Amino acid sequence: MNIIILVITVSMLVIAAFYVVWADSFFTVLAASSMVSVGLVLLFVLLRAPDVALTEAVVGVALTGVIYALTLAKIDLWKINDNDDNNDVSQSKQ
Amino acid sequence: MSVLDLDHVFFLLIVNIGIAVLWGNRPFVGKILTLLYILEGLSILTSYHVLLSGAVLSSSLTFTVMQQTVQWQLGVSGGFFALITFMAAGLATWFSSGVWARSYAPIRLLHSYMALNVAAMLLLLASNDFLGLFIAWELVSLVSFLIIAINGGRSAKAAYSYILYAFLGAMAILLALIIIWNATNSFSYVEVRHHWSTMSVNRQLIVVLLLITGFGIKMAILPFHRWQAPAYAYVPAPVAAFLGAISSRMGLFALFIVLLQVVGIDVIQTLWLPFEIINMQTFLLWLAALTLIIPTFIALRQTDARLLLAWHGIGQGGFMLLGILSANALGTAGGIMHVFNHASYQAALFFAVFSVSYRTGTADLDRLGGLVTRMPISFTVMLVGIIGLAGLPPMNGFVSKWLIYKALLDEGMPLLFLAAVIGTLGTILSVYKLIHNTFLGQLRLEHENIKEVPWSMSIPMMILASIVFITGYFPGLLLESIAAMQSTLGISVVDYHLGGVNTGKGNLNMIVVVSTMLMAIGMGALIFFVLGNPRKQVTQWDNYAGGHFLTSDMRYQYSHNFYPGLMRVISPLYRNTIFWLESAIVSTVQFMAHISYALFMQANYLLYLILLVVISLLWVLAV
Amino acid sequence: MQRWTTILFLTGLSIVLFAIITPLVLGQSPMLVGKLINASAVNDTGAANLVTAVVLAYRGLDTLGELAILFTAATAIGIILGTTDKTQTTSSPTAGFIVATAAKVLFPLLLVFALYIILHGHLTPGGGFQGGAVLAAAFFLLTLADSGNNIKHKVTQVIEALAGTAFIVLGLVSFALQGVFLQPWLDKGELGSLFSAGSLPLLYLALGLKVGAELANLLSSLANVEK
Amino acid sequence: MQDSLILLVVLPLLLAFLLPVIARYLGNLSGLTGSLLLLFNILLLANAWNSVGYSPKVILLGGFAAPLGIVFYIDKLNMLFAILTTIIALLLWPCRTHNTDVREYVLWLLLLAGCYGVILSGDLFNIYVFYELLAVASYGLVTLPATGASYIAGFRYLMISALGSAFALLGIALIYSFTGSVNIAHLAQIIPDHLHHIWGYSAALLLIIGFGVKAELFPVNFWVAEVYSHADKRVTALLAGVVSKIAVLIILRFIILLFPWQDIFNFLLLLGIIGVIVGEFAAFYAQDLLRLLAFSSIAQSGLVIIAFACATEAGIMAGIALAIHHLLLKPALFLLASHCDRSINDLAGLAKSSPWASALFVILALSLLGVPPLPGFWAKLLLLQSLMAEQYLLLLVLVLLATIVEAAYLFRLFMLFYQRQEMPEQKRITIQGQELYPVITLSGILLLGLFFLPLFMDSLREIAMQTSNIEAYINTVLGKVQHIGEGNI
């Protein structure tokens, strides 16, 4: 059972990692890299390292994603949808 | 041991440098510096008898590093070269101390660089081990670079190519030193000589070749000869005289010390190049012969008097090397003597040529002529000089060349003798071109109002000319110290007397030769004048050319396209192979440089990191 | 093209690494030091959570270094952001009503959770780093939900400085007392109780506050919430 | 006495944490506190120098015996580098009078703390932590000029460094998973014999490549030219002078203690010599002064790496000599060049507008070239001797040929400086006096040091002896608890 979960987790992780390189939109990149972190958290839990899993969950999944997003917003690259200006987070307020 | 410490000389040199740097621009400083050089020369001369007896002048300057004590002491060989150095520097400074200095703006630089050069050379001459030798060698290279580059423009370009060659040489020497150190664990001459045979034959061969390359580059031995002529030609007069007289002989000195004192000529004789093609000594002799012939014939083609002399300087270096490598009492004596002789007449010739260009503003042989009536002293000096350079009696050049010819014949090397003679023939032809195109023929219109150079410039020339004559008359003056040198080095000693040498099979006595010549000339003159002087006074303008009438405003001077017949025959031989090689190396370096630079500037930098990791890990997996 | 080569090489790298690591059996490594620590950690430090013993006692200097790295990163980012044009302020978007409400509800819970993680670091999994991160997340959630809720830059800066100083001072006190930097001191107490393991919980508290303030600082300067 | 050396690392960190708050009250004076701290560090080191003496000492952090806790290893080599780092940092300390951003001081202090930690630490993972600390601090410092070019350079630096660090971490992970220890002395007992195969080799390569990024090792140094030419000159001076040498020092420790295998030496020799050649060639092509100096710095680092890769006592001695020489010299050169950040052709006639600075530049560059009797020559001589002792004749020749290329571009530069032709006024650049006092101090140390050459060489030999003594390292660190669990591998 453990092995199956392990394999699924690892493959998810690898696919997500490849998708980080592959994706065109920053939003998807961010989502994919958070997926990698989620995979890692699962792995850590499976390998009985709750400390590290906790850290990874907070830092890898939450904070890193937010930091990336904010940075992208700051340099005006945060575009969920190129065609629709209203969805552009950095400009929606104006 | 020593009567006079070398410290005094070093101190004087420092004073020299200080005066030159601080007050070099003042008008009187040239004279003070001249006096100082003479004083330094005299201070060595006064204790010269100590040197002749085989003792050394030592300096208290010393330091110890890597268990090697580096100290400076002047032996008789160093003393001999030092005297030449002081002579050249003193007279060159004298030449520049008077009127000449007013027309030359960076005179302070000139004085300072000259003083630095002399000091560095003395350090080299007094070095007593390889470490000291190398340090002094690099210093000499650097200060030579400074003095060569003094005029900027063309001379700076020449200086740049010089310093690159010099670095090539220095690196070769350094490599040799490291190999020697590895084998003998010492840098001192004595120790190295003692442990020389611990090196394998291959190593010995490499070391000797590297040393020859390194030291040979300074004396522009083939195929490293291209830098020297432009470097020595495009500098101001005193510098040219100084450089031409002694600077490139530093290479010879070092080679002389290393090959004869440390390695030993017997070792050179037993070394064979790979596949036993040729003996090391024969190889070097032929290298020397080529160094004699090729630059001499390049000199023949020059139309700039300065370049012509500079190329001859290279050729005569070959002569000296030929003598020294012949491993024969007469040959080594001739080689070393030629250093002095060459210094004296080369400096005289440079002074004469630069006097002419000082007055006329050009050294282009195609644009001079007929100056003999306007500049008789310069003419006389040049006449004495070219007789010396061509190696004809009664000047000193004859004695040394005779010794070298004799040595080559004695050692059974007729082909080399032939090469030397061909070189001399080239010399004679080109020096005739020099004096003819400068002084003979008809005076050009634009040179009508020219005067002789002032005394401050002509006196040093005359002193040099008289040295050329006197040492030709009494070669024993020089042979005494040369014999002392040979005995300290432990090679066979020349049997000399005041007038020349005894060779066993024959005897050269210059007193007799010159006296006979003078007597013959005197008798001829006597007969001529007793018979009533049946000559007709003609002016320089009395001339006739091919049925064409020449008025006095049409000056006739056959100078352009000299020796057309000879040139037609030999000009296919001028191939510029070395030039081609040089530019090929330059473009290779530039290409490599471009590639390396592009490598650092490319965008996908991370790829290389990953690539390296992958490759190295693959290598690990494979191992 | 570049993307293809990158992927190609990364694949190559992973294959090579895989080939190298294959012989390694998971969980079977020699653990030369690990076994020793397992044996002596409780005695040495009095911490029930061995990870804490390692992080704060055996490898306390590493922790200090990591703390410093985080601080450095925040400072460096501050420098880079600080030099951008300040006149043009991009105000962050307001979140919707649901998020804002949820944030307000979650905030005290997160705060308690964070403090729990920090204070029980020597007993249960977790500790200063994790707790600090949660702390920062708590505050940041609030600011994200409503940009009116500024994180006070000055306050966080002072907390951060004092917490960092406290960590080092705790180490220096042991240096002054015992001549060894970062040696656990104070009474070890009873194993498993809240007040045990000597100075380690204090260190964790400093660590947690430092990390929390640090991250909050970082996020606030990133979001440019503070005007 | 030596226990107080831990303060070298701790105090800068403490000050760095506090400085943002202190700066509110002290304002511009806050920069001064850093200088005072460095002075204190010098006193600390000077005080400890004699007490260390011949036998190395060890500091147990947290009071745990060696393989359990972290240790600091104090020997003459580490002390020497710590002292030099302090001196150079003190000289380069950015004491600006206006527009002071306190965060700049903070990053400097953190960088220095990282340097001290890397130098002194005797624990693989601890070294990595401090290495990261100094790396992150230097990312921030590189972007200080806040120009587009400096951001791009900083990003390049960040990417390469981060990837390099990842590989280094992978190497450490490999070692840990195969041995279960990260204490260098402990590993020195285990790795050379028990891991002399694929795992050991791959860990060695990963570590060398990872730390090679800062050491300007050949194919991982593509950041060097960009960063050095666009960063603040004081930062450049520190990176080129100190940080790169510290990274080389770490590599030296690795190959002496952990991976003393000929294959690894050969790998380093290969990368080192390629670095020398490519660096010199690129410098030959470079058209602006700072890039030229950056490339020459790559080449010099290559020389140090070659020397260390000889892995003999002579080689270590030569490497230390070269490293110290370059460490003192390059900052001075970079500072002198700090106002000449344009094409070298604009430097024509520089000697006229600033004669002393250009004369100093020439002397220092000659030392870089290894012209006797300047200090650079002796260092190079030692290198050549140690190469010859190992019979690396080809390397020897390549090094010498690279020196000729070096001579070619340096002399081209000198001739430009002393060119007599007049340059238009607006193109003229002067080397200003602002940066002159560190330059004068550094070159003073170099040139006056020449008079103590024999003394210096003797102590270098002693240091090299101490460094290559693996037994002493292990015994000092592990003390009585030797041979822990060796049989388990």
Side-chain angles (χ1 to χ4, degrees), chain C residues 13 17 20 23-24 29-33 36-37 44 57-59 61-62 64-66 68-69 71-73 75-76 78-80 83 154 157-158 161 164-165 168 172 175 179-184 210, chain D residues 4 7 10 13-14 16-18 20-21 24 60-64 67-70 72 103 106-107 110 123 125-126 129 132-133 136-137 140 143 151 170 177-182 190 199 202 484-485:
Chain C
L13 183 65
L17 283 177
I20 287 170
L24 185 70
S29 64
M31 296 236 318
L32 289 182
V33 174
L36 289 175
I37 286 181
D44 282 352
Y58 293 107
R59 309 201 67 86
L61 195 66
D62 280 350
L64 180 57
E66 282 147 18
I69 292 174
F71 177 63
T72 316
T75 314
I79 279 194
I80 293 169
T83 47
K154 280 185 181 172
Q157 205 176 40
V158 171
T165 313
I168 293 179
L172 283 177
F175 181 68
V180 182
F181 183 70
L182 267 181
Q183 186 167 26
K210 171 89 178 163
Chain D
S4 63
L7 296 178
V10 173
L13 284 180
L14 184 64
F17 288 159
L18 278 175
V21 178
R24 289 205 191 133
L60 304 175
L61 282 156
F64 300 102
L68 292 183
I70 295 170
F72 271 18
R103 287 175 290 198
V106 171
L107 284 184
L110 291 165
D123 184 285
F125 188 74
N126 195 235
V129 168
E132 274 299 284
L133 177 58
V136 176
T143 54
Y151 285 136
L170 192 58
S177 56
F178 287 117
T179 63
S181 176
V182 282
I190 302 167
W199 301 340
S202 26
I484 298 154

Side-chain angles (χ1 to χ4, degrees), chain D residues 293-311:
Chain D
L293 288 176
F295 286 127
S296 107
S297 162
I298 288 176
Q300 294 291 324
S301 280
L303 286 182
V304 180
I305 287 168
I306 292 174
F308 283 154
C310 286

Side-chain angles (χ1 to χ4, degrees), chain B residues 266-340:
Chain B
D266 44 333
V267 175
I268 305 270
Q269 277 164 343
T270 55
L271 284 178
W272 286 81
L273 288 186
F275 311 113
E276 309 222 331
I277 315 166
I278 189 170
N279 185 305
M280 190 66 168
Q281 189 195 12
T282 326
F283 171 72
L284 292 180
L285 277 168
W286 277 106
L287 206 61
L290 285 180
T291 309
L292 166 60
I293 294 173
I294 293 177
T296 303
F297 278 89
I298 294 175
L300 189 53
R301 282 231 301 192
Q302 302 304 318
T303 53
D304 188 312
R306 299 169 297 179
L307 278 176
L308 187 144
L309 285 178
W311 279 109
H312 268 304
I314 304 173
Q316 298 304 305
F319 231 121
M320 297 165 201
L321 200 57
L322 208 54
I324 286 174
L325 287 168
S326 67
N328 172 304
L330 291 181
T332 41
I336 300 163
M337 191 176 175
H338 203 57
V339 174
F340 180 89

Side-chain angles (χ1 to χ4, degrees), chain B residues 85-396:
Chain B
T85 309
F86 288 130
M87 177 185 84
L91 291 174
T93 312
W94 191 343
F95 187 87
S96 66
S97 65
V99 186
W100 188 86
R102 279 176 227 154
S103 64
Y104 191 70
I107 186 74
R108 179 161 81 171
L109 285 184
L110 192 149
H111 284 322
S112 323
Y113 291 168
M114 185 83 85
L116 283 172
N117 260 286
V118 173
M121 285 179 185
L122 205 73
L123 273 182
L124 177 71
L125 296 173
S127 66
N128 201 34
D129 59 334
F130 277 117
L131 204 52
L133 181 77
F134 186 72
I135 293 173
W137 181 262
E138 286 275 56
L139 284 180
V140 167
S141 293
L142 282 183
V143 291
S144 307
F145 167 76
L146 288 179
I147 206 166
I148 290 171
I150 192 168
N151 264 2
R154 261 189 314 189
S155 80
K157 225 173 248 166
Y160 184 58
S161 94
Y162 160 69
I163 198 72
L164 291 189
Y165 271 106
F167 257 89
L168 178 65
M171 292 305 122
I173 297 167
L174 196 54
L175 184 54
L177 292 199
I178 295 297
I179 297 177
I180 289 175
W181 165 270
N182 188 45
T184 64
N185 223 1
S186 169
F187 280 135
S188 106
Y189 290 153
V190 184
E191 288 284 306
V192 171
R193 164 136 220 181
H194 193 244
H195 296 292
W196 178 261
S197 50
T198 53
M199 272 190 278
S200 71
V201 177
N202 260 339
R203 283 283 160 80
Q204 292 184 19
L205 192 71
I206 291 172
V207 167
V208 170
L209 281 177
L210 284 171
L211 288 173
I212 299 266
T213 310
F215 294 128
I217 279 175
K218 183 81 182 164
M219 52 183 296
I221 200 171
L222 238 65
F224 307 107
H225 60 286
R226 283 204 72 250
W227 65 269
Q228 199 180 68
Y232 286 10
Y234 301 127
V235 286
V239 178
F242 177 73
L243 289 174
I246 189 64
S247 190
S248 71
R249 300 308 148 228
M250 289 302 128
L252 190 85
F253 173 79
L255 260 188
F256 171 71
I257 291 291
V258 168
L259 289 187
L260 295 189
Q261 185 181 337
V262 180
V263 182
I265 199 76
D266 44 333
V267 175
I268 305 270
Q269 277 164 343
T270 55
L271 284 178
W272 286 81
L273 288 186
F275 311 113
E276 309 222 331
I277 315 166
I278 189 170
N279 185 305
M280 190 66 168
Q281 189 195 12
T282 326
F283 171 72
L284 292 180
L285 277 168
W286 277 106
L287 206 61
L290 285 180
T291 309
L292 166 60
I293 294 173
I294 293 177
T296 303
F297 278 89
I298 294 175
L300 189 53
R301 282 231 301 192
Q302 302 304 318
T303 53
D304 188 312
R306 299 169 297 179
L307 278 176
L308 187 144
L309 285 178
W311 279 109
H312 268 304
I314 304 173
Q316 298 304 305
F319 231 121
M320 297 165 201
L321 200 57
L322 208 54
I324 286 174
L325 287 168
S326 67
N328 172 304
L330 291 181
T332 41
I336 300 163
M337 191 176 175
H338 203 57
V339 174
F340 180 89
N341 296 347
H342 179 72
S344 54
Y345 62 66
Q346 183 83 340
L349 283 172
F350 263 122
F351 281 151
V353 163
F354 274 98
S355 298
V356 169
S357 77
Y358 177 72
R359 284 303 194 203
T360 63
T362 178
D364 188 347
L365 288 174
D366 290 355
R367 293 167 54 206
L368 292 168
L371 287 169
V372 59
T373 53
R374 295 290 186 273
M375 305 178 75
I377 298 177
S378 304
F379 170 72
T380 319
V381 171
M382 186 181 277
L383 187 64
V384 172
I386 64 166
I387 296 175
L389 177 55
L392 302 174
M395 301 309 166
N396 58 10

Side-chain angles (χ1 to χ4, degrees), chain D residues 147-170:
Chain D
T147 58
S150 77
Y151 285 136
I152 293 173
F155 184 70
R156 191 178 249 243
Y157 179 43
L158 179 101
M159 290 311 281
I160 300 180
S161 273
L163 197 55
S165 296
F167 284 128
L169 190 59
L170 192 58

Side-chain angles (χ1 to χ4, degrees), chain D residues 68-108:
Chain D
L68 292 183
I70 295 170
V71 293
F72 271 18
Y73 182 72
I74 316 276
D75 67 351
K76 288 249 166 150
L77 181 63
N78 289 349
M79 294 274 286
L80 184 69
F81 271 82
I83 288 173
L84 288 171
T85 306
T86 320
I87 290 173
I88 301 234
L90 191 59
L91 289 173
L92 297 176
W93 185 258
C95 41
R96 301 229 170 75
T97 46
H98 57 92
N99 194 20
T100 322
D101 188 348
V102 70
R103 287 175 290 198
E104 190 180 340
Y105 298 136
V106 171
L107 284 184
W108 271 83

